[in-house]
Structure formats: structure tokens, C-alpha cells
């Protein structure tokens, strides 16, 4: 099969429920924009005849055929992977995403989330429209994911066997570290980082830090607050304890919030609009897009009063609350904020 192009591809180990439906997939070595010759060869062996996004379950005979073809064509890395996974007993699939369309299957969603966490795609660069409707709400246990209507029986079976079935979460998204741990990161509480998070090299996420799917940090950052879905934090920035950044999921907002490089969002502070490089939000101050802000010059004289959204993306700003009047003020930021290099360069 000759391909014109392909968005992404991966071999995966899938979990099925009692109805034979795939409910999650682990992709050990996903590929973005893979070699079209290699994927065309795999597609032909898998019975794929057109360039429509598809997920195919592979039997032992097909896996052996694919393995031989990959080795003869010199694609040794993928051949080695096929050799390893074919020795196991779980459901083995090949997921083909030819075009970045709205995902139609669990396997497609999991591949896209995995691409993000492997840093093979940036947040907001993949079509994840409708992902919530595709994914199953599962019990994520120490023995793998389970449909909720199957959980009670599995808990009983475990107790009768003298074991405990631990339920770590009930969610549509698993924690990232059960699928990939990107290099150069520290994550104090792994349950607070969902699969699909993009965690930049050098980032430290403390115990109360949270990173949603399709969000994350571009490079080294200190995360002690909340990064909501869709939000990207620039290199060198620090999100203080308990701080929050508005996402695009729960409130219905469409604007993607970003934090520039070398910014500081103080403890228990937050933003609802994009900020540029070298900006500081005072601790405890939450600035939404509609917050009225008094803009002061370098001599602290009032220039104008605007909505915060009118300052979107501007660099070198300090947002604070006047302790006497309670008014939110914005002044030129003269502080040269930077992360502790030793702390983040040795992850």
C-alpha cells in the first residue's frame, strides 16, 4: 500500500471490557509523521485498504508477517517492538491516524494523548474535539482499568483471594506516569498529572501541582499550582502554591490562556487572560479577563483604566492590589525573576 502521508501511528496493548470494547490503550513507542513506506507496509499486512483513520487488532500470524517485513526493510526499531509485544497475551492493536480529524475511537484518543505526553505534539495542536464523549469513565486500579459496572465483582473476587483491589481514581483520563515519564522531570504526586499533559524538560511539579491533558510547560518550570486544559506555561516560569489558570473546558471559554517565559504567579493567585514574558501576579490576586485594572506608569501615576484582557500578551507587567483602596493595579515590572537553575537542571 502506497501512502501519500500519515499523521501518526503506533502499535499498542489494549484493554477490553466484558463486551469486547477497547477501553484504553498503552502505546510504548508512538510515532508522529512516521515513514510512509513503513506504515504502508504495516497497513497492507493489517488489511487496511484506504487512508481512513482505523485501529486494527493483530493476531499472531499477522504480527509475524509484519515483523519479517519490518526486518527485511531495515526498520529495526519497530521490528524490535513488535518482537517484544508479540510474546505477550494482551490484545495488540495497530492505530493508524492518517488525518488529524475529530477522534472516533478510544484508541485514537489515547494515541493523541500519548503523543502529547511523549512531547511529539504540542498542546492545542491536535484535534481532540469530542474526546470526552468517546472515552469511558473507568475505575483505574492496581490491576488495570475496569468498567464501573464490573468493579464490584472484581473487588469481591480480589477479597475472596485475600487481596485488595485498590481504586486509585474514577476518571476518563489515567495518570500520565502509568504510560510515560518524559525525561528531565520531577513529579511529587503522580496522580495529579493526567495522560495528555506536556511536561517540559526541567519541570518540577510539587505535591499540590496539577496539570490537565492538552496543557503543560514548554521547558523548565516550577509548578505548585493548577494548569488547566489548553494552558501552556513558558520556560522559566513559576506557578505558586494554590494558584490557578483558567482553562477552556468547564466555563465554555474559547480563548486559550498562555503564560509567557520567566513569569511568576504568586501563591493563591490566578489569571483568566494570557500574560506575556516576565510578568508577575501578586500572591492572592485573581485577575480575570474582565477585571478593571488601573494602569500606572513608572512613576506610579494613573495612565488609564482598562479591562485586563486589553493587556493580554504584554510583557514586563506587575499586577497587584492596592492595599489601601483595593483597586487592581498594573505597573511596569522591574524585577528580574528567574528559577533556581540548580533545582531544575538536575532532574
Amino acid at each position: 500500500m502506497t501512502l501519500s502521508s500519515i499523521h501518526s501511528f503506533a502499535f499498542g496493548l489494549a484493554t477490553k471490557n466484558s463486551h469486547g470494547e477497547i477501553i484504553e490503550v498503552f502505546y510504548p513507542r508512538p510515532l508522529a509523521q512516521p515513514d510512509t513506506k513503513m506504515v504502508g507496509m504495516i497497513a497492507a499486512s493489517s488489511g487496511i485498504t484506504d487512508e481512513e483513520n482505523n485501529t486494527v487488532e493483530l493476531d499472531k500470524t499477522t504480527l509475524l508477517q509484519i515483523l519479517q517485513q519490518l526486518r527485511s526493510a531495515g526498520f529495526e526499531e519497530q521490528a524490535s517492538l513488535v518482537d517484544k509485544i508479540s510474546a505477550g497475551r494482551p490484545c495488540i492493536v495497530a492505530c493508524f491516524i492518517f488525518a488529524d480529524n475529530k477522534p472516533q475511537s478510544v484508541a485514537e484518543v489515547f494515541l493523541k494523548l500519548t503523543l502529547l505526553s511523549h512531547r511529539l505534539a504540542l498542546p492545542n495542536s491536535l484535534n481532540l474535539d469530542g474526546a470526552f464523549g468517546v472515552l469511558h469513565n473507568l475505575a483505574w486500579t492496581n490491576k488495570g482499568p475496569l468498567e464501573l459496572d464490573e468493579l464490584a465483582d472484581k473487588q469481591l473476587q480480589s477479597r475472596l483471594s485475600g487481596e485488595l483491589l485498590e481504586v486509585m481514581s474514577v476518571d476518563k483520563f489515567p495518570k500520565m506516569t502509568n504510560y510515560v515519564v518524559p525525561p528531565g522531570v520531577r513529579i511529587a504526586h503522580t496522580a495529579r498529572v493526567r495522560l495528555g499533559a506536556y511536561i517540559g524538560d526541567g519541570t518540577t511539579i510539587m505535591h499540590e501541582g496539577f496539570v490537565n491533558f492538552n496543557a503543560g510547560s514548554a521547558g523548565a518550570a516550577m509548578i505548585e499550582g493548577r494548569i488547566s486544559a489548553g494552558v501552556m506555561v513558558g520556560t522559566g516560569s513559576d506557578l505558586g502554591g494554590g494558584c490557578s489558570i483558567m482553562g477552556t473546558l468547564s466555563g465554555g471559554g474559547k480563548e486559550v490562556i498562555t503564560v509567557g517565559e520567566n513569569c511568576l504567579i504568586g501563591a493563591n493567585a490566578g489569571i483568566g487572560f494570557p500574560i506575556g514574558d516576565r510578568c508577575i501576579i501578586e500572591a492572592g490576586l485573581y485577575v480575570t479577563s474582565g477585571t478593571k485594572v488601573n494602569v500606572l506608569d513608572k512613576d506610579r501615576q494613573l495612565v488609564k483604566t482598562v479591562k485586563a484582557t486589553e493587556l493580554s500578551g504584554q510583557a514586563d507587567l506587575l499586577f497587584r492590589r492596592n492595599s489601601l483602596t483595593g483597586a487592581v493595579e498594573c505597573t511596569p515590572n522591574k524585577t528580574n525573576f528567574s528559577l533556581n537553575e540548580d533545582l531544575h537542571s538536575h532532574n
Side-chain angles (χ1 to χ4, degrees), residues 309-330:
T309 189
E310 296 180 43
L311 303 172
S312 294
Q314 295 186 32
D316 300 297
L317 300 179
L318 166 63
F319 292 84
R320 66 188 185 191
R321 188 177 294 280
N322 187 302
S323 60
L324 297 178
T325 67
V328 178
E329 298 176 341
C330 175

Side-chain angles (χ1 to χ4, degrees), residues 76-116:
E76 196 52 46
E77 185 174 357
Q78 286 297 306
S80 174
L81 175 61
V82 171
D83 192 30
K84 289 178 181 178
I85 63 177
S86 60
R89 298 194 306 177
C91 171
I92 300 170
V93 299
C95 183
F96 303 83
I97 298 181
F98 294 99
D100 185 22
N101 300 325
K102 178 180 177 180
Q104 301 296 318
S105 68
V106 169
E108 285 183 56
V109 176
F110 268 80
L111 178 50
K112 289 187 175 183
L113 295 176
T114 305
L115 291 172
L116 287 162

Side-chain angles (χ1 to χ4, degrees), residues 34-213:
D35 186 286
T36 54
K37 177 183 176 182
M38 179 190 72
V39 177
M41 193 165 53
I42 298 170
S45 296
S46 304
I48 301 294
T49 58
D50 54 35
E51 296 186 19
E52 294 290 330
N53 295 353
N54 207 335
T55 302
V56 181
E57 187 172 346
L58 304 174
D59 58 27
K60 294 290 184 180
T61 301
T62 304
L63 281 168
L64 179 59
Q65 181 182 349
I66 291 172
L67 174 61
Q68 293 171 340
Q69 290 181 334
L70 288 172
R71 281 182 170 163
S72 64
F75 297 110
E76 196 52 46
E77 185 174 357
Q78 286 297 306
S80 174
L81 175 61
V82 171
D83 192 30
K84 289 178 181 178
I85 63 177
S86 60
R89 298 194 306 177
C91 171
I92 300 170
V93 299
C95 183
F96 303 83
I97 298 181
F98 294 99
D100 185 22
N101 300 325
K102 178 180 177 180
Q104 301 296 318
S105 68
V106 169
E108 285 183 56
V109 176
F110 268 80
L111 178 50
K112 289 187 175 183
L113 295 176
T114 305
L115 291 172
L116 287 162
S117 291
H118 272 277
R119 301 178 187 152
L120 296 173
L122 290 169
N124 304 307
S125 69
L126 300 178
N127 188 344
L128 286 165
D129 293 346
F132 274 89
V134 173
L135 296 178
H136 297 230
N137 193 29
L138 302 172
W140 299 92
T141 79
N142 60 322
K143 294 187 177 181
L146 294 170
E147 291 278 15
L148 296 182
D149 60 3
E150 300 174 9
L151 178 59
D153 284 343
K154 294 292 185 181
Q155 288 175 317
L156 176 59
Q157 291 172 19
S158 293
R159 292 284 183 165
L160 292 173
S161 301
E163 299 177 344
L164 173 66
L165 181 68
E166 182 180 1
V167 179
M168 278 84 74
S169 67
V170 178
D171 197 359
K172 293 198 171 194
F173 294 78
K175 61 182 182 179
M176 181 190 73
T177 53
N178 280 351
Y179 294 78
V180 55
V181 177
V185 304
R186 286 193 292 135
I187 303 173
H189 191 347
T190 57
R192 297 183 64 84
V193 182
R194 274 172 150 183
L195 180 64
Y198 183 109
I199 311 300
D201 191 354
T203 289
T204 294
I205 303 173
M206 297 303 290
H207 296 77
E208 294 305 314
F210 170 81
V211 186
N212 212 333
F213 77 99

